[in-house]
Amino acid sequence: MKQLGLPISFDSKMLLSNFSGQENQPLLAFIETLFSQNSSSILFVSGGRSSGKTHLLQGCTFKALGQNLKALYLDVKQALPANFLNTLAQYDWVCIDNIDQLNTAQQQELFDLYNQLKHTKTKLVVSALVLPNELDLLKDLKTRLSMAVVFVLEQLDDLEKLRLIELKMKDKNLNIDAKVITYLFKHFSRDLTTILLAIDQLDKESLQQKNAISIPFAKTVLDITI
């Protein structure tokens, strides 16, 4: 079964098997139980920026697809068709990222979907920056989400971020001196997503300019002033 043809960014490297963080292991163990469960279940995943919410939800989707289940990943930050969320009860796994970005109509659609799932085997996994009771959503939807199984993702420390960056660079066959990465952490950003985007930018510029990625090169390309 293939992912539905929506304009959603999908990364085949985001697997449950390479999801980071020792403190996230109970969450991964819980997800494993869901794959052998014959009833519906709602999982709410909370975490800050770069905590791995998208990685986790896409990992669930890939695992479900790998088991020939009907699965769908959606990111609310990207455009979705109207009256769409409430039509997904036939899926085995529905993973919806960034539900704190739902508009009022989409909130009602998600509420309707939630009410449909009690008679299905569907696993609904949703993510947000904050916990259910902190969401600015319709009261009835907040009440339903508060009854979900809730996990808060571990925030990676700098060493774990560096290890993850190394894995990402290995996937892309990039070889950047560790001193450059350390420099970016110190003088550019400690946010994982921002660093990874910067590395992509440096890689593109180095290919275009035929220059090695060095600290002076990074300072120029990223306009770093210290």
Side-chain angles (χ1 to χ4, degrees), residues 40-201:
S40 65
S41 186
I42 315 297
L43 171 60
F44 188 106
V45 180
S46 172
R49 179 177 164 84
S50 302
S51 59
K53 298 186 297 296
T54 297
H55 187 150
L56 185 80
L57 268 63
Q58 292 199 6
C60 289
T61 308
F62 276 118
K63 185 176 178 67
L65 292 171
Q67 295 186 8
N68 294 316
L69 298 172
K70 194 174 183 182
L72 181 66
Y73 167 83
L74 301 171
D75 186 348
V76 177
K77 288 184 177 180
Q78 296 175 281
L80 300 177
N83 298 311
F84 178 67
L85 296 178
N86 53 1
T87 67
L88 304 177
Q90 78 275 19
Y91 280 81
D92 299 300
W93 281 74
V94 178
C95 301
I96 307 178
D97 215 352
N98 300 303
I99 65 164
D100 37 354
Q101 303 293 316
L102 290 167
N103 62 38
T104 303
Q106 291 170 333
Q107 292 174 40
Q108 184 61 53
E109 291 173 28
L110 181 58
F111 177 76
D112 293 341
L113 173 64
Y114 190 110
N115 290 334
Q116 295 171 34
L117 297 188
K118 64 182 71 174
H119 304 299
T120 72
K121 298 180 181 179
T122 302
K123 311 301 183 291
L124 174 63
V125 185
V126 300
S127 82
L129 288 170
V130 297
L131 293 169
N133 62 351
E134 300 174 84
L135 289 168
D136 183 19
L137 299 178
L138 296 173
K139 182 179 178 181
D140 287 343
L141 178 58
K142 280 182 64 172
T143 300
R144 295 292 192 278
L145 292 174
S146 296
M147 294 187 288
V149 177
V150 178
F151 280 89
V152 178
L153 290 177
E154 171 193 1
Q155 285 294 131
L156 301 181
D157 60 29
D158 285 352
L159 182 58
E160 289 171 318
K161 289 178 182 178
L162 288 170
R163 288 173 180 163
L164 188 55
I165 289 170
E166 288 176 2
L167 289 174
K168 295 285 187 182
M169 291 195 301
K170 185 177 180 181
D171 287 340
K172 296 182 178 183
N173 294 316
L174 286 177
N175 186 17
I176 301 177
D177 193 306
K179 293 180 180 178
V180 177
I181 305 302
T182 301
Y183 174 83
L184 292 178
F185 260 84
K186 185 176 181 180
H187 299 292
F188 184 64
S189 176
R190 306 186 89 80
D191 178 72
L192 183 58
T193 300
T194 302
I195 289 287
L196 291 173
L197 289 173
I199 290 172
D200 283 342
Q201 183 180 351

Side-chain angles (χ1 to χ4, degrees), residues 18-35:
N18 60 18
F19 190 70
S20 302
Q22 184 61 36
E23 293 183 20
N24 293 324
Q25 294 310 304
L27 168 57
L28 294 175
F30 177 76
I31 290 172
E32 280 299 316
T33 68
L34 294 182
F35 279 95

Side-chain angles (χ1 to χ4, degrees), residues 11-19 55 58-59 62-63:
D11 186 343
S12 62
K13 296 292 194 295
M14 290 186 175
L15 306 174
L16 293 178
S17 59
N18 60 18
F19 190 70
H55 187 150
Q58 292 199 6
F62 276 118
K63 185 176 178 67

